[in-house]
């Protein structure tokens, strides 16, 4: 679903622009960007990707030629999975700049000297799938990056394409970026599986086979998300949408889906080659969640420094309940708010200190009497 954006541009007379602003004040319209509005009902029904694409349609017509939508904005345009918020700015790569620039509704990333490969989507130049994935791997949170990397591999991008795109790039943390590219796997079928697998990599768990099939004696087949054959451990990501979304239940009621899933788990647990089983949800798979405990309880060994690695990952934690395509605050917005609160508290303490000092220096307000006989 694409949101229709109404702009108070040159084609709109002054009276119509005033009516739009009043409708926004009344709540029937939503302000997408300065001078751009959309219907409240469609905005409320839209997911984060659709809202960000509406922001792009509102902002890009005011920008000059030559800009290429990139990073999170390219993710939204390609319809790739995203964890957390897309942010309040359109992100573009500017081939004419060697440094970035941040304004109210647009963030420019310097692209001078770089050959930016792009495709056209809805009349806008957008970085290609490989370039988008590498941009995200370099600049974004690893939990976001692994979901995007897995998705572009599923769409036919090769590892060679990613390696070529990475050549010559300035990378702050090349070790993490290389690890992300090595861990990416096109067999991952959802962002939840991607972040669960990446969390296991961070924790030093042994590698998994993805989408392994178990053939039972009665002819039934159960496919699992992650399988560790040497230790006999199954790890399943449980996104919960298969219980809550009617379109995912194949006409069944929610409790029937729960019962079917329980029977499936029982079949797997009864197998002699399965010695451990663990279920992971969004909250548990996010940095700082209880994924280490789930893996250990299932029988998977972790690296010797897994606790330190997990604490380090949690320092950049995303919104713990954020799902792909859903709004959510990332750590940077939360950190900005925390810094603002600390700054306001320091300013209040300074004002209080100055006020106490002023009271101490203040002379008595009464008129001095004249001494005499």
């Amino acid at each position: 679903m694409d949101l229709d954006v109404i702009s108070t541009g040159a084609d709109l007379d002054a009276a119509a622009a005033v009516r739009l602003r009043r409708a926004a004040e009344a709540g029937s319209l939503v302000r997408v960007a300065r001078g751009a509005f959309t219907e409240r009902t469609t905005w409320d029904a839209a997911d984060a990707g659709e809202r960000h694409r509406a922001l792009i349609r509102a902002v890009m017509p005011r920008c000059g030629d030559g800009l290429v939508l990139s990073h999170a904005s390219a993710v939204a345009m390609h319809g790739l999975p995203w964890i957390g918020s897309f942010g309040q700015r359109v992100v573009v790569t500017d081939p004419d700049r060697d440094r970035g620039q941040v304004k109210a509704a647009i963030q420019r990333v310097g692209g001078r000297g770089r050959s930016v490969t792009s495709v056209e989507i809805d009349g806008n130049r957008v970085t290609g799938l490989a370039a988008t994935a590498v941009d995200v791997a370099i600049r974004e949170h690893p939990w976001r990056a692994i979901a995007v990397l897995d998705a572009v591999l599923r769409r036919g991008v090769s590892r060679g394409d990613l390696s070529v795109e990475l050549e010559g790039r300035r990378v702050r943390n090349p070790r993490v970026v290389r690890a992300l590219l090595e861990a990416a796997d096109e067999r991952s079928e959802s962002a939840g599986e991607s972040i669960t697998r990446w969390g296991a990599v961070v924790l030093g768990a042994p590698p998994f086979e993805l989408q392994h099939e178990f053939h039972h004696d009665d002819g039934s087949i159960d496919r699992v998300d992650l399988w560790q054959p040497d230790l006999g451990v199954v790890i399943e990501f449980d996104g919960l949408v298969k219980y809550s979304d009617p379109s995912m239940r194949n006409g069944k009621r929610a409790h029937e889906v729960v019962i079917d899933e329980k029977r499936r788990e029982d079949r797997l647990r009864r197998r002699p080659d399965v010695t451990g089983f663990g279920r992971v949800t969004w909250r548990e798979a996010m940095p700082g969640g209880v994924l280490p405990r789930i893996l250990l309880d299932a029988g998977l060994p972790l690296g010797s420094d897994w606790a330190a690695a997990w604490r380090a990952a949690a320092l950049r934690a995303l919104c713990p309940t954020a799902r792909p395509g859903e709004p959510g605050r990332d750590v940077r917005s939360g950190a900005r708010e925390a810094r603002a609160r600390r700054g306001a508290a320091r300013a209040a303490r300074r004002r209080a200190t100055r006020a106490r000092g002023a009271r101490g220096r203040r002379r008595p307000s009464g008129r001095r009497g004249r001494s005499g006989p």
Side-chain angles (χ1 to χ4, degrees), residues 31-51:
R31 182 180 180 273
V32 179
R34 182 178 179 181
F37 306 88
T38 191
E39 294 287 340
R40 164 68 67 179
T41 52
T42 55
W43 178 265
D44 290 341
D47 62 28
E50 293 162 345
R51 293 181 181 184

Side-chain angles (χ1 to χ4, degrees), residues 169-373:
R169 296 286 202 98
R170 289 178 293 180
V171 182
R172 292 181 180 178
N173 196 339
R175 182 183 61 82
V176 173
V177 174
R178 285 196 298 269
L180 283 165
L181 266 61
E182 291 173 3
D185 197 314
E186 67 276 8
R187 294 173 296 173
S188 182
E189 294 184 343
S190 71
E193 292 179 26
S194 299
I195 65 171
T196 301
R197 197 180 74 255
W198 175 251
V201 170
V202 171
L203 292 167
F208 293 100
E209 290 183 11
L210 278 66
Q211 314 308 329
H212 180 77
E213 291 185 346
F214 289 95
H215 295 255
H216 304 289
D217 294 337
D218 61 359
S220 61
I221 301 174
D222 288 322
R223 189 173 63 169
V224 298
D225 298 333
L226 304 173
W227 163 241
Q228 217 304 312
D230 296 333
L231 299 170
V233 175
V234 171
I235 299 295
E236 287 274 85
F237 178 81
D238 202 346
L240 305 182
V241 67
K242 59 188 172 188
Y243 308 117
S244 59
D245 187 351
S247 65
M248 300 286 288
R249 299 201 299 251
N250 297 322
K252 297 180 181 179
R253 289 176 289 183
H255 75 275
E256 293 174 323
V257 177
V258 173
I259 293 172
D260 288 347
E261 191 64 23
K262 180 64 171 64
R263 288 171 176 166
R264 174 177 175 273
E265 181 178 330
D266 289 342
R267 282 196 304 271
L268 290 168
R269 287 182 179 273
R270 284 195 297 266
R271 292 184 60 90
D273 50 349
V274 175
T275 60
F277 192 101
R279 285 191 177 276
V280 181
T281 64
W282 279 104
R283 183 178 296 275
E284 294 153 352
M286 297 300 283
V290 296
L291 180 62
R293 175 51 52 196
I294 294 173
L295 298 183
L296 288 169
D297 288 347
L300 289 171
L302 304 182
S304 58
D305 59 345
W306 70 264
W310 199 241
R311 284 195 298 269
L315 292 176
R316 296 188 62 196
L318 296 164
C319 176
T321 57
R323 292 169 173 81
E326 290 188 1
R329 294 186 310 161
D330 62 13
V331 67
R332 286 173 291 186
S333 62
R336 285 194 294 269
E337 293 176 7
R339 286 196 296 270
R341 288 194 297 269
R342 290 195 295 269
R346 287 194 296 269
R349 288 194 295 270
R350 286 195 295 269
R351 288 194 297 269
T353 301
R354 287 196 295 268
R356 287 194 297 270
R359 285 196 299 269
R361 293 190 300 270
R362 191 177 301 150
R363 293 181 179 180
S365 59
R367 182 177 295 176
R368 292 182 179 178
R370 180 179 297 176
S371 61

